[in-house]
Amino acid sequence: MTALLSPARISPYLAACAGQQDQALSLYCWNSAIAAAFFEDLGHLEVMLRNALDQRLTLRQQRRNRQQEWFNDSGVPLAPRARTDIHEARRRASVTGAATPRGKIIAELNFGFWRFLIARQYQATLWPDLARAFPNASRRALTLVEDPLKRLHKLRNRIAHHEGIWDQDLVGRRDDVINLLTYLDRNAAAWAAASSRIDTVLSQRP
């Protein structure tokens, strides 16, 4: 098992378990379980976040009497990296000989795209509109949303690359998910919390 997992991957678990291989493998399996539980909740957050931000950007276009979709409009002040992400999303979503539904393009834009829309570079341009996606936030400060999003983006990347998260502040990251969902919609946060497995798996840590 150690050889197949690789010594480099299992060594942090062995160190945490005083070299006890059975305990290290139990911790490794638990890490997989808690990562899966987080991925479910992060999935809910990602879908709701992207739909809320898409709605605000669409309303921004309408208010400015812009006819193009926001992701096609060169007048929307998006960073070059964001434009590249949109191009790649359109390519992945396209079907030969058919018009690409806008919903497929939105769905192909990854969590990082939406996370980087909530960034200081957009504070004076997009944030005044995007802030309205979070009606239950205690204040309209960008950092109130940006900071937990940054932490969750980092956690999501660790999970996606099958890296360990057992040594992270997982209670804090659980709270980040629920807080962001609450900012979006209190009912959505309650629904996600009711179906979440995070607390159950946290209680089973070996």
Side-chain angles (χ1 to χ4, degrees):
M1 284 295 296
T2 300
L4 287 172
L5 292 172
S6 86
R9 178 173 290 274
I10 202 66
S11 62
Y13 299 90
L14 285 167
C17 297
Q20 298 297 309
Q21 187 169 9
D22 287 348
Q23 293 179 23
L25 288 174
S26 293
L27 182 58
Y28 185 87
C29 287
W30 179 83
N31 183 83
S32 297
I34 193 63
F38 261 100
F39 210 67
E40 291 173 4
D41 289 24
L42 286 167
H44 298 323
L45 174 62
E46 180 174 350
V47 170
M48 294 179 190
L49 177 70
R50 76 187 183 205
N51 289 335
L53 296 182
D54 173 43
Q55 181 184 51
R56 298 316 311 180
L57 289 169
T58 298
L59 290 172
R60 182 180 188 272
Q61 290 293 93
Q62 293 172 2
R63 194 177 68 256
R64 291 168 177 255
N65 294 317
R66 306 288 291 185
Q67 300 303 310
Q68 290 179 293
E69 296 282 6
W70 62 265
F71 48 82
N72 291 331
D73 189 348
S74 60
V76 177
L78 294 172
R81 175 59 187 271
R83 293 288 179 194
T84 298
D85 288 345
I86 291 169
H87 174 78
E88 288 301 310
R90 188 182 293 107
R91 181 186 60 79
R92 290 191 299 268
S94 65
V95 178
T96 303
T100 304
R102 75 177 308 280
K104 292 192 67 174
I105 297 173
I106 296 300
E108 286 291 343
L109 290 167
N110 61 32
F111 188 70
F113 174 86
W114 304 105
R115 171 262 176 274
F116 283 109
L117 279 186
I118 309 298
R120 289 178 178 87
Q121 65 179 320
Y122 298 122
Q123 182 147 15
T125 53
L126 299 181
W127 174 246
D129 289 280
L130 296 180
R132 298 176 183 276
F134 308 96
N136 300 316
S138 59
R139 59 189 190 279
R140 292 172 64 87
L142 182 145
T143 54
L144 187 68
V145 177
E146 182 188 25
D147 290 347
L149 268 179
K150 286 166 64 175
R151 294 190 291 264
L152 292 175
H153 183 232
K154 183 177 180 180
L155 180 72
R156 187 188 185 283
N157 285 347
R158 291 187 67 87
I159 293 171
H161 290 92
H162 309 293
E163 297 178 24
I165 64 168
W166 58 274
D167 57 349
Q168 306 293 303
D169 177 10
L170 298 180
V171 172
R173 299 299 75 75
R174 176 207 62 194
D175 292 345
D176 283 341
V177 173
I178 295 302
N179 287 340
L180 285 170
L181 285 171
T182 300
Y183 298 160
L184 290 167
D185 184 277
R186 290 191 179 92
N187 289 331
W191 172 81
S195 63
S196 176
R197 297 188 300 117
I198 290 175
D199 284 347
T200 299
V201 180
L202 282 174
S203 71
Q204 297 169 346
R205 176 170 176 150

